[in-house]
Each structure stands twice: as C-alpha cells, then as structure tokens.
Amino acid sequence: MNDTPIKPAIGIDLGTTFSVIAHVNDVGRPETIPNAEGDLLTPSVILFDEDEVIVGREAAKAKATELEKIADCPKRQIGNQVYDKVFGDRRYPPEALQGWILNKLKRDAARVAGDFDEAVITVPAYFDEVRRKSTQDSGFIGGLKVLDIINEPTAAAVAYGYQAGWIDLSGKVAEPINVLVYDLGGGTFDVTVMEVGVNRFRTIATDGDMRLGGQDWDQRLIDHVAKNFKDNYGIDPTEDSTALGKLLRDCKDAKETLSSRSKASVECVFGSSSIKTDISRDMFEDMTLDLLDRTDFTVRQTLKAAKLAWTDIDKVILVGGSTRMPAVREMLTSLSGQQPDTTLSPDEAVAHGAALRAAMLSNRHSNAFAPSEIKNVNSHTLGVVANEVETGIAKVVPLIPRNTPLPVVARRVFKTHRKNQESILVQIVEGENNTPEDCSQLGRCAIWDLPDTLEVGTLIEVRFAYEENGRLKIKVKVGGSTQKAFRYEIQRPNSLTDEQLDSWREYICDSNE
Ligand code: ADP
Ligand code: MG
C-alpha cells in the first residue's frame, strides 16, 4: 500500500449559462458538488461591484438591477481578445472571467472533495482550436491544472454509458452502439453522433451552433411581452436597463414554467405603468418554432455526415437544461422514432462524465475503470493558405477535413515560387470555405532564415499533427539540399502571453485566498 493520499477526480462543465463541478465519490459514482450557496448549478455570471468580484447566484440576481456591472456568459466570447463590456475603466479577457468562475468552483468544491488542482474541463464539440486553448488558459488562470479538455457530448455519453452499464466494467464485450447526443444549453447547441463500445467512445460526426440556446427562446418571450407593453403604452420597456433586467429574469422563469405547465404569465413594469401578458405553451411553441427547426436541420445534417440512418441510432441522449422543453422531446421522438433517454439530469451529465474521465486519467479506482479510449473528430476543416500557381490568387488548401477521427497527422507539399526566396509564410486557417477571408485565422508561422540558395520549386512540406484534445502542432520542412525542419506552436493573435496568464492567475487566485 502506498500512503500518498488519493487525488480527487474532478470534472467541470464550464457552461455558457451554468457551470457544474463533480467528483467521483468513494464508491466510484460521479456526484455533483454543491457550491457554497448549496446549489448544484453555478450561474456563469460575474458581478464587478467596486473592489469586490462576485461569481454565481448573487451575480445572476444582480442582473435585474445592476446589468452594467455584470459579465454574463464569457464563454460566448471566448476566443476574442477582450470581453465586450468595460467595468469601471477595466477590460477583461474572457479567459480571466472564466478563470474567476473556475476559481469559485474550485474553492467551493475543495470544502467537500479536499484540496485539489487537477481537473478535466469540457467544451462544446463545436469549439475550434482557439477556443479550446483559451479554455485551457482559463483553467490555468483559475488555479487548475487541466488534465484534459474533452467534448461535452463525449462526457455526457461517458456518464450515460457508465450508469446504464454500456461500459461493462467486468470487461465483457457488448455490441458497440450508436448514440446521438442532442445538447441544447443556455447559449450553445451541439449535436454529436458517436459510437460507444466497451471502453471506447468514438465520435463519428459533430456539428452545432455556437449562437443558439435557451437565451434565444427567452428573447422571443421578451420581444412578445415588450411588444404588448408598447402597443398599450407607446413606450419600449427594453430601453430601460432595470425594466429589461427584470424582463430577462421573468421571461426565463416563464419559459421554464411552460415546460411543466400549459400557461404562464409575465408582469412587465416600466415607469408608472405595468401590464400582465399571458402566454400559453402553444403560443410559445409557435413563436419559437424556427429556433427548434434550426436544431432539427443540424440533427439531420449530422446524421448524414455520419453516414447513418435513424435505424442505426440505438440511443438518443438529451443534454442541456433547454432539452426540458417538451417541444424538443417531441421533435426528437418524431424524428428518431424512439423516446430520447432522459435518465440522467440534463444539467449534470456532462460534469459527471468529465469526473469519470478524470478518474480514468488519474487511475483512481483503477480496478473499476479499465483504460478507456475516447476518440474525437475535428469539428472544422483545417488548412493552409497558398497561392494558386496560374492565377496567384490566395486559396485555402485543406489538410484535415472536418469529422476526421483524431489524432491525425496530415502532410501537404508546396513549392517555392521565386528563386532565392528568403521567407515563407504559413497561414493556418479553419473553416469550410476556400476563400481565406471566410475562414477563421488560427495563426501564422513565418520562416525568415531560409538558406539563400533555394531553387524555384523547392519543396516545402507542411505537417499538421492534430491531437485528441483538439490541439494542433505544426512542422514545416524545407526540402532540397537543406532538409531544414521548423516546429511551430501556432501564434494566435488573440491569445494571452505566458506573463499575462501568470499575472491573471496570481491576481484572481490570490485575491480569493
Ligand atoms: P449551458 O450548458 O449553456 O450553461 P444549461 O445546460 O445549464 O446551459 O442550460 C441552461 C438553459 O436551460 C437555460 O437557458 C435555462 O433557461 C434552460 N432551462 C433550464 N430548465 C428549464 C426548463 N425546465 N424548461 C426550459 N428551459 C430550461
Ligand atoms: Mg452545457
């Protein structure tokens, strides 16, 4: 026996609207850890109040009255250089805002799980390279050592698989099954088709919409209630931040009520006037039908990309609080011809899967967890920009098409254009379009010190190694007599430097000690 204390296996679902932290308990079951307020879900909201920074429930409550002091849904802006709102006279990178959230989760969870710094964090399958790296940086800033970044649907499938016994811990091989994970949260939508076998999770196809979630359903209700007010009083309550804050909260409540009741009402107060608007579930479903249709479309597309038919799908799993809306369940039942599996809480499944993954990685409960293999695919095509020989026009040359199983290594050979060319610029892009402007720029690496005797047409080999966690490494080899090789970490224009990361980490973690 060794005496080193077992490290807790921690998983974090860093959600757009709510975050959840879970651990694997002493008997090997994943369990959500309540925060200091006693809640299982922590709103991903930050309040900057003078010198105080408050994360979670109290910050979310302040949205109704102090909207200007609130940083809401930093995850929606991850990948940008700074969050789009100024607090006092300060601007914050989204990584720092997420760092605050993670640090609160960490501190609160330590009271139950004991001190820890290692954790698995989840991201939407649709997140690109930039956002994955930013999420990892957020973890560092929040005082964590990020063991792995895994996709939310993969985590959900792990949790369902574990609890339903698809993962046969005794090692008996069951038939692999195909699972479709439909995740509609507060701010993002994801659909993923995976193959789940014993100790094996393989993503076949994934797609989603970074800008679609429960908030859009809320917004439809807000528009409806505000219009009713305006029709009656001629003034728009959404122009006032206090009235809008209250509307945001009440419309979200009404939407959630409509998941279990057939009607709800919202009282809108602005100035000295007020009006009550009644909404039935049918009305609500009518005014949000196009949003649901967008998810329907993506589900079909993803199934097509996976080259599967509904009869090949053994399980439909629902993840994300918004899947509590009956319309979502009805749509999926009629699409798939089967009842979606709702045995796990849609808010907690992702964090539970992440905790199980952490347990697998840290070899805790090693008798209970056979080594498990998680296979991901890349969610966007990765390529480089090259000039067409005939026209000189810049075009995207794809290296790794979307939905390629990871890890993958891809090579492509280019030629130099000019004699004695001194430098080469390799521009890395991500996206489904062949015009560079329509793709997102991941970064560029420039090689300045080429040997000065290069012939026209010297071969340049670009090699992409895309790892399972979605991280990308690049190697450029210059052929001819030189055989020089250059290794690159992509330089992302928006990402924080090591010094910035250290100073944010110190700032956020120390102030909370
Ligand atoms: P995220 O992963 O984006 O943080 P969650 O999975 O926690 O989001 O889902 C949050 C969303 O779920 C919110 O928009 C919330 O209003 C919605 N939600 C929660 N419960 C219900 C319900 N009963 N009916 C409809 N929507 C709900
Ligand atoms: Mg979520």
Side-chain angles (χ1 to χ4, degrees), residues 13-18 75 122 124 152 183-186 188 319-321 346-347 350:
D13 170 7
L14 182 59
T16 311
T17 45
F18 289 100
K75 185 172 173 180
T122 59
E152 289 160 10
D183 179 352
L184 187 60
T188 52
V319 183
D347 319 294
V350 170

Side-chain angles (χ1 to χ4, degrees), residues 12 55 106 147 172 197 290-291 333 349 358 377 391 441 455:
I12 299 175
V55 177
K106 179 188 177 211
L147 281 177
K172 271 193 210 123
D290 59 311
L291 301 174
T333 308
V377 294
T391 60
Q441 309 289 324
E455 290 300 320

Side-chain angles (χ1 to χ4, degrees), residues 19-167:
S19 296
V20 182
I21 187 163
H23 70 146
V24 175
N25 69 17
D26 292 338
V27 293
R29 309 281 336 163
E31 197 174 62
T32 303
I33 307 176
N35 61 19
E37 293 77 48
D39 299 326
L40 299 179
L41 312 190
T42 301
S44 307
V45 184
I46 300 145
L47 165 70
F48 291 96
D49 194 11
E50 322 265 300
D51 291 337
E52 245 188 325
V53 181
I54 296 151
V55 177
R57 190 212 276 178
E58 289 311 310
K61 264 180 21 200
K63 251 199 287 190
T65 48
E66 298 168 278
L67 202 52
E68 71 290 349
K69 295 182 189 167
I70 296 289
D72 201 5
C73 305
K75 185 172 173 180
R76 275 209 158 173
Q77 296 190 32
I78 206 82
N80 298 351
Q81 204 155 14
V82 287
Y83 189 74
D84 65 5
K85 227 158 134 181
V86 184
F87 302 98
D89 53 4
R90 290 201 72 166
R91 306 200 71 146
Y92 296 95
E95 289 93 333
L97 300 173
Q98 298 221 95
W100 261 299
I101 298 168
L102 289 167
N103 190 250
K104 175 192 167 57
L105 295 171
K106 179 188 177 211
R107 281 180 294 115
D108 288 3
R111 296 169 319 135
V112 174
D115 263 341
F116 66 90
D117 59 2
E118 293 183 344
V120 169
I121 302 179
T122 59
V123 292
Y126 200 58
F127 257 25
D128 58 18
E129 160 71 11
V130 174
R131 295 182 183 103
R132 279 168 203 268
K133 168 72 166 67
S134 300
T135 304
Q136 201 162 1
D137 290 347
S138 307
F140 176 83
I141 290 175
L144 294 165
K145 181 165 172 252
V146 181
L147 281 177
D148 200 2
I149 299 273
I150 65 168
N151 289 343
E152 289 160 10
T154 304
V158 169
Y160 269 95
Y162 184 63
Q163 92 114 33
W166 312 331
I167 307 177

Side-chain angles (χ1 to χ4, degrees), residues 168-184:
D168 185 342
L169 298 176
S170 72
K172 271 193 210 123
V173 178
E175 279 293 298
I177 62 169
N178 292 324
V179 177
L180 183 135
V181 184
Y182 176 104
D183 179 352
L184 187 60

Side-chain angles (χ1 to χ4, degrees), residues 162-284:
Y162 184 63
Q163 92 114 33
W166 312 331
I167 307 177
D168 185 342
L169 298 176
S170 72
K172 271 193 210 123
V173 178
E175 279 293 298
I177 62 169
N178 292 324
V179 177
L180 183 135
V181 184
Y182 176 104
D183 179 352
L184 187 60
T188 52
F189 168 64
D190 262 37
V191 49
T192 304
V193 177
M194 359 190 1
E195 185 193 70
V196 181
V198 172
N199 299 324
R200 191 178 136 87
F201 297 81
R202 186 170 72 91
T203 304
I204 304 171
T206 183
D207 202 347
D209 193 333
M210 270 268 315
R211 305 220 155 248
L212 182 65
Q215 288 166 345
D216 300 293
W217 272 258
D218 300 347
Q219 190 58 47
R220 291 294 163 85
L221 275 184
I222 295 169
D223 294 345
H224 177 75
V225 173
K227 182 172 181 303
N228 191 21
F229 192 96
K230 217 166 141 187
D231 289 349
N232 278 273
Y233 299 111
I235 38 173
D236 184 354
T238 62
E239 280 167 11
D240 174 74
S241 73
T242 310
L244 177 62
K246 189 179 167 303
L247 263 185
L248 276 166
R249 187 188 62 202
D250 294 350
C251 288
K252 177 173 176 288
D253 281 351
K255 172 194 73 176
E256 292 177 7
T257 300
L258 287 170
S259 291
S260 44
R261 297 187 56 180
S262 58
K263 54 184 191 303
S265 62
V266 176
E267 173 106 32
C268 178
V269 186
F270 180 33
S272 54
S273 314
S274 80
I275 197 163
K276 185 163 148 275
T277 308
D278 293 319
I279 305 123
S280 70
R281 188 189 288 168
D282 286 346
M283 275 164 73
F284 175 61

